[in-house]
Amino acid sequence: MEPEKEKTGRLPRKGRKRRRVPNKLIRTPEARISGSDPVDRQPEPKRARLASILIAENCEVTHEQLCELLKYAVLGKPDIEKPRWCQLLYQSQLKRIVVVILQGMSQLHFYRFYLEFGFLRKAFKHKFRLPPPSSNFLADIIGLQNKETAGYLPKTIEGSLPSTITKPNINLQNDPIIQKYGSKKVGLLRYLLTEEEMKTFNFPLQGSPDCENFITTKCNGSVTDNSPLFGLDCEMCITSKGRELTRISLVAEGGSCLMDELVKPDDKIIDYVTCYSGITKKMLNPVKTKLKDVQRQLKALLPPDAVLVGHSVDLDLRALKMIHPYVIDTSLLYAREQGRRFKLKFLAKAILGKDIQCSERNGHDATEDATATLELAQYFLKYGPKKIAELNLEELWRDQEIRNIREKFQYTYKSVLKCLDSVDQKLLFLSRETDNIELPSKNCETIKCLSNKEVFEQARRQVDFHPFSIVQFSFEPFSPLLTEEMNKRMRIKWTEMSTIYAGPFSKDCNLRALKRLFKSFGPVRTMTLVLETHQPHLYIRYEVLEAAQLAIESLNGVLVEGVYIKVQRPVTELTLDCDTLVNELEQDSENRDTIYLSGVSQNFLGHLQELPNLFFGLEAVIVPTDPKSGRQKKYCFLKFKTFGNAQRALHILTGKDWKLKGRHALTPRYLHAWLRGLPPESRRPPGLRVRPPPSEQETLQNLKADHPKIAAWRWSRKIGRLYQSLSPGTLCVILLPGTTSPHGSLSGLGFMGIKDDEEEESTTPSMGL
């Protein structure tokens, strides 16, 4: 047991751990929203639970998903479905909800004036991307029914849908099923997947490099049109090694279930995927059956000429780590246009008239799915391709999609205003008079103000008296010309920050060894030898900022190849404040708990899972992959619960045992996604000068108070003051919606946190730059 703490917050001397503990009570990860405590201790038993929120890494949130969160924050379960993109813990402990909208601002604003937005980047640990806004951003995020929203649905669904479909006159020769199989009935052999098709659709095959440890079913008999069919379905979970088998069902013709076994994976389970698999931890606890037992049993059950039938059965065989030569895949049998596939649930309803994978049941039933695939194959064999084509499955599919849209629309009809009304509460909406937005007076108290300053003053006075408030500030968006130029300059700036010059080197230096040395810090986009100087230098452009910074910190002033070298970034007007910007990025609340590692091997993730005590507080492992080859890159990001967890792991991983290179992260994942699409014209060679457009030069020279840089600094401070005035337990969401214009769109950015009664003084915005 952990020794009791003294009243000072320190441990008693006897049994005290070596690690220092700050002289204050430490908050738990669940209760902490934007703090950066350096250690992890369990809370005092008597401490009350506080509401908290967690979101997925590298998260892009649609307006509909944001609306789901706001509705759930108002009502909580079981009144409304939980949002899947984040976790809101202890929702009942929320005191109020405040949404602040900075209309006219975007993600470009935040990173263009990153140093000025001091409060937002330090106070809010949770950030997320937003798509460019529609014409009515506010209506989208609160789920408001307006004329535009109602017009979204097709007119055919305004009335009740007919129970039967009127078949239009269709040309069967254009149907993909007829084109694949012809119109005449044929035997079973015609519908088996060929070896070429199995290669195309990534089935496990003998001799494949990724199937070395797979075993065969030993079904090598001669198959005929009378060979027996067996329906197969498997359920999987996510383990430290990827997808692994947790349940298998095998059904014979006639519907008898030959096999229905739960299987315990060998590796640690990370996610049971219960919503799809139906498997829970409680179900697997007593299970002793392993994969090898199932493989042995399946080999004994299947006759030499057995034909396995499944839906995307390649995934089932890979989960079983088995190779079988005779397969009918119903997702390919019922062919669609352009290589698309029908879902099993749809085919079972449209062909067999059966409802499977019902939403009220927790997960899929493997036996039910195996039976459905078997019956679908039997139906196809019995009636032939022409009968299937006449059903016009594409039309049935479109009709089903319309039904789904209608059901979803009826569900989302419950807007935030409706949710508030159901608990006898009202929404407070503060905005400028020039904002042409009207909300229903029945559910909303609207206060129109003459200026942003008045909106701010009213917000500080009013929000603590309302359970849900929306405060909207309006700013003049950048002109299209300025937006385009700033977008290019921002991306060029991040490229130059990720670029270094290193040297001088001796003329007979080992170039191969130097390349290997600099690649050890991270992925390299370009590396060239500079010969314009008296002694050679290297020009290296890295994919990520962390790699460039790590190279500078590790090699600047170090003896390399017999010469003390200097490692530095190119000096341009865009990199003059680079050192300050790097330092502030490192202190960003989202980056403080994350570390960057270079030189990781393929089995690195397995080591992490084996050492949970060593890497206490590990929340996420982000391993980028090459978009073309899909291969794992040799660097990763590890996200921890606290700064202390991250610091300790970094010390261990860069020590003599692991010998990795790393540092604290500088860039969140959504920023990587934004910068990844760098257009060729915005890549410039070293030394090319980039000046601000004339309009911005004039504004900077005149130092106008409404310049975006000054506005960003001022309004970051004001939002900080507004945040500090909120009562503890308030869910605060700050939104930069993005912009949309005929000249192009800019994505938005969101910040989220719950005000804690123990917010540290560091979150208070400073009064000067």
Side-chain angles (χ1 to χ4, degrees):
M1 290 181 61
E2 184 181 333
E4 281 188 359
K5 294 181 182 177
E6 298 173 357
K7 291 184 179 179
T8 59
R10 294 186 180 273
L11 296 172
R13 186 170 300 278
K14 184 178 179 181
R16 183 184 299 173
K17 294 186 178 181
R18 291 182 181 179
R19 186 174 51 177
R20 290 186 177 181
V21 183
N23 188 16
K24 60 188 288 187
L25 293 177
I26 305 301
R27 288 170 284 157
T28 62
E30 290 82 5
R32 189 185 306 117
I33 299 304
S34 58
S36 56
D37 302 296
V39 296
D40 293 280
R41 309 291 295 174
Q42 292 299 319
E44 298 270 346
K46 295 182 180 179
R47 174 162 179 150
R49 292 288 190 181
L50 300 177
S52 64
I53 197 159
L54 300 169
I55 71 172
E57 183 71 17
N58 191 28
C59 188
E60 181 171 63
V61 179
T62 66
H63 302 149
E64 292 78 11
Q65 289 173 323
L66 185 57
C67 179
E68 286 177 7
L69 170 66
L70 296 178
K71 290 189 292 184
Y72 181 74
V74 173
L75 293 181
K77 64 178 185 180
D79 301 281
I80 204 160
E81 187 178 356
K82 281 185 177 182
R84 295 188 178 183
W85 62 276
C86 68
Q87 285 184 299
L88 179 57
L89 308 175
Y90 310 112
Q91 176 273 342
S92 61
Q93 299 301 315
L94 281 180
K95 304 301 181 186
R96 54 186 48 82
I97 302 159
V98 177
V99 179
V100 179
I101 301 174
L102 305 182
Q103 192 67 39
M105 290 196 178
S106 66
Q107 182 169 312
L108 174 63
H109 287 75
F110 179 72
Y111 282 105
R112 172 63 181 86
F113 305 113
Y114 182 82
L115 296 177
E116 284 72 32
F117 279 110
F119 173 76
L120 290 182
R121 57 187 165 83
K122 290 181 179 179
F124 292 94
K125 183 176 180 179
H126 300 303
K127 304 181 183 73
F128 51 88
R129 293 172 292 158
L130 290 168
S134 66
S135 58
N136 198 337
F137 175 76
L138 180 60
D140 290 341
I141 66 168
I142 65 174
L144 188 65
Q145 262 195 309
N146 55 16
K147 292 180 180 179
E148 180 183 339
T149 308
Y152 166 73
L153 289 175
K155 292 182 179 180
T156 54
I157 69 168
E158 291 178 356
S160 58
L161 286 167
S163 56
T164 57
I165 304 297
T166 303
K167 297 178 184 177
N169 293 324
I170 56 173
N171 183 1
L172 292 182
Q173 297 306 314
N174 294 330
D175 190 283
I177 293 176
I178 299 297
Q179 291 180 346
K180 184 175 183 179
Y181 300 112
S183 58
K184 294 182 179 180
K185 286 177 62 175
V186 292
L188 179 149
L189 293 175
R190 176 66 179 86
Y191 303 124
L192 294 179
L193 290 179
T194 64
E195 186 175 352
E196 192 62 36
E197 286 176 318
M198 294 178 84
K199 283 182 182 178
T200 302
F201 296 109
N202 200 30
F203 276 73
L205 295 171
Q206 282 186 297
S208 297
D210 58 341
C211 301
E212 292 177 356
N213 298 323
F214 284 39
I215 67 171
T216 63
T217 57
K218 301 297 182 184
C219 295
N220 50 11
S222 57
V223 181
T224 68
D225 288 338
N226 297 319
S227 291
L229 303 178
F230 296 87
L232 175 69
D233 187 68
C234 296
E235 302 297 344
M236 283 79 84
C237 68
I238 307 298
T239 71
S240 57
K241 294 290 182 66
R243 290 177 177 268
E244 291 197 46
L245 183 71
T246 52
R247 183 180 176 185
I248 175 176
S249 289
L250 186 72
V251 178
E253 291 180 279
S256 60
C257 182
L258 303 180
M259 189 176 179
D260 187 13
E261 293 282 349
L262 292 175
V263 185
K264 180 168 284 188
D266 292 326
D267 299 293
K268 182 180 178 181
I269 297 177
I270 298 173
D271 187 354
Y272 286 87
V273 204
T274 306
C275 59
Y276 298 107
S277 69
I279 305 298
T280 62
K281 182 178 181 180
K282 184 178 180 181
M283 292 170 63
L284 285 187
N285 275 340
V287 174
K288 303 297 182 184
T289 305
K290 294 290 188 177
L291 177 62
K292 60 183 180 181
D293 302 319
V294 169
Q295 291 173 333
R296 193 183 307 113
Q297 190 177 350
L298 193 61
K299 286 174 66 175
L301 282 172
L302 293 177
D305 61 342
V307 176
L308 289 181
V309 180
H311 198 81
S312 297
V313 73
D314 56 304
L315 301 177
D316 299 322
L317 289 172
R318 286 192 173 276
L320 286 164
K321 293 189 176 180
M322 297 187 77
I323 297 171
H324 186 79
Y326 313 127
V327 173
I328 293 177
D329 193 323
T330 51
S331 70
L332 301 172
L333 183 68
Y334 289 84
R336 291 188 71 184
E337 297 171 349
Q338 301 173 353
R340 296 175 296 167
R341 304 191 192 190
F342 290 114
K343 293 181 179 179
L344 178 60
K345 181 176 181 177
F346 165 74
L347 289 175
K349 182 66 175 176
I351 305 295
L352 308 174
K354 290 185 175 182
D355 290 307
I356 65 170
Q357 301 175 358
C358 299
S359 57
E360 60 268 14
R361 191 165 52 219
N362 194 14
H364 299 177
D365 184 328
T367 303
E368 181 183 66
D369 289 357
T371 303
T373 57
L374 181 59
E375 291 179 358
L376 284 169
Q378 290 171 327
Y379 187 96
F380 204 107
L381 286 166
K382 181 178 180 180
Y383 292 103
K386 184 178 180 182
K387 176 72 173 179
I388 306 300
E390 288 174 349
L391 292 174
N392 197 3
L393 290 175
E394 283 293 340
E395 189 67 27
L396 289 172
W397 172 265
R398 280 192 290 269
D399 180 68
Q400 182 63 46
E401 286 297 288
I402 292 174
R403 278 197 181 95
N404 292 340
I405 293 172
R406 183 182 183 186
E407 290 171 2
K408 182 179 179 182
F409 179 71
Q410 289 173 340
Y411 171 75
T412 56
Y413 173 78
K414 184 178 276 190
S415 66
V416 169
L417 293 177
K418 292 283 187 182
C419 292
L420 288 168
D421 187 52
S422 67
V423 290
D424 296 324
Q425 294 176 342
K426 279 192 173 185
L427 179 145
L428 171 67
F429 178 52
L430 293 165
S431 70
R432 292 172 56 175
E433 287 185 350
T434 52
D435 295 335
N436 188 22
I437 301 173
E438 296 294 336
L439 298 180
S441 57
K442 177 185 176 183
N443 310 94
C444 178
E445 179 184 344
T446 301
I447 300 178
K448 293 286 188 176
C449 305
L450 295 175
S451 64
N452 282 335
K453 182 179 179 180
E454 188 180 341
V455 172
F456 169 73
E457 291 170 350
Q458 286 283 357
R460 294 193 69 186
R461 287 195 293 265
Q462 297 285 342
V463 292
D464 262 353
F465 299 102
H466 294 79
F468 196 117
S469 304
I470 297 178
V471 182
Q472 178 165 296
F473 301 103
S474 298
F475 303 93
E476 193 67 30
F478 292 155
S479 67
L481 179 63
L482 181 59
T483 297
E484 182 182 0
E485 189 63 30
M486 285 180 63
N487 215 343
K488 288 182 180 179
R489 288 166 55 217
M490 270 300 300
R491 297 185 180 198
I492 292 172
K493 178 170 184 170
W494 285 95
T495 301
E496 290 185 345
M497 287 176 63
S498 303
T499 300
I500 61 170
Y501 283 96
F505 299 103
S506 60
K507 294 182 179 179
D508 58 346
C509 63
N510 186 337
L511 187 59
R512 180 176 296 179
L514 287 176
K515 287 184 176 182
R516 189 163 54 247
L517 171 64
F518 283 96
K519 285 182 178 180
S520 70
F521 297 104
V524 173
R525 285 192 185 276
T526 305
M527 186 184 299
T528 56
L529 192 63
V530 179
L531 299 175
E532 297 295 324
T533 52
H534 176 64
Q535 290 179 282
H537 286 68
L538 277 177
Y539 165 84
I540 306 111
R541 183 155 68 92
Y542 288 99
E543 286 185 21
V544 292
L545 176 60
E546 288 84 354
Q549 187 64 23
L550 188 57
I552 293 171
E553 294 167 348
S554 303
L555 295 181
N556 189 35
V558 173
L559 186 67
V560 177
E561 294 277 322
V563 180
Y564 287 98
I565 65 169
K566 186 174 183 179
V567 183
Q568 60 184 338
R569 291 186 174 87
V571 180
T572 70
E573 51 269 58
L574 296 181
T575 60
L576 289 174
D577 62 351
C578 186
D579 291 340
T580 303
L581 184 55
V582 167
N583 184 57
E584 292 299 324
L585 283 166
E586 194 169 44
Q587 298 303 315
D588 190 301
S589 61
E590 190 170 24
N591 297 331
R592 278 176 58 82
D593 305 338
T594 305
I595 62 174
Y596 162 82
L597 293 173
S598 178
V600 298
S601 58
Q602 291 187 354
N603 62 355
F604 179 70
L605 297 179
H607 283 301
L608 285 179
Q609 296 300 332
E610 294 168 8
L611 300 171
N613 294 327
L614 187 59
F615 300 105
F616 181 75
L618 180 62
E619 286 188 333
V621 181
I622 303 102
V623 186
T625 56
D626 187 281
K628 293 183 179 179
S629 66
R631 292 180 180 176
Q632 173 187 321
K633 294 193 175 182
K634 295 183 179 180
Y635 72 97
C636 70
F637 294 87
L638 306 185
K639 186 174 180 61
F640 292 85
K641 289 182 179 178
T642 67
F643 173 77
N645 294 152
Q647 186 79 354
R648 181 170 178 263
L650 182 63
H651 177 73
I652 294 170
L653 289 166
T654 55
K656 61 180 180 179
D657 293 330
W658 289 82
K659 297 180 181 179
L660 297 175
K661 293 180 180 178
R663 71 175 323 279
H664 282 277
L666 297 173
T667 49
R669 301 300 298 154
Y670 58 79
L671 181 60
H672 288 196
W674 180 46
L675 297 172
R676 196 175 295 126
L678 182 63
E681 63 269 19
S682 65
R683 296 193 183 104
R684 60 177 174 136
L688 179 64
R689 299 171 67 82
V690 175
R691 293 290 187 187
S695 58
E696 190 176 353
Q697 283 189 50
E698 294 170 5
T699 314
L700 282 168
Q701 291 167 3
N702 297 332
L703 293 175
K704 291 182 179 179
D706 60 349
H707 183 267
K709 184 171 185 173
I710 306 299
W713 172 70
R714 179 192 297 133
W715 283 100
S716 179
R717 290 176 56 206
K718 285 183 179 292
I719 292 171
R721 288 163 58 192
L722 176 60
Y723 182 80
Q724 294 300 324
S725 70
L726 300 176
S727 58
T730 299
L731 170 62
C732 186
V733 183
I734 313 290
L735 300 175
L736 283 60
T739 58
T740 302
S741 72
H743 304 279
S745 301
L746 294 176
S747 57
L749 194 63
F751 306 79
M752 186 161 53
I754 299 177
K755 177 72 179 298
D756 190 350
D757 55 357
E758 293 182 4
E759 290 288 348
E760 295 184 11
E761 294 298 324
S762 61
T763 59
T764 305
S766 61
M767 299 306 291
L769 287 174

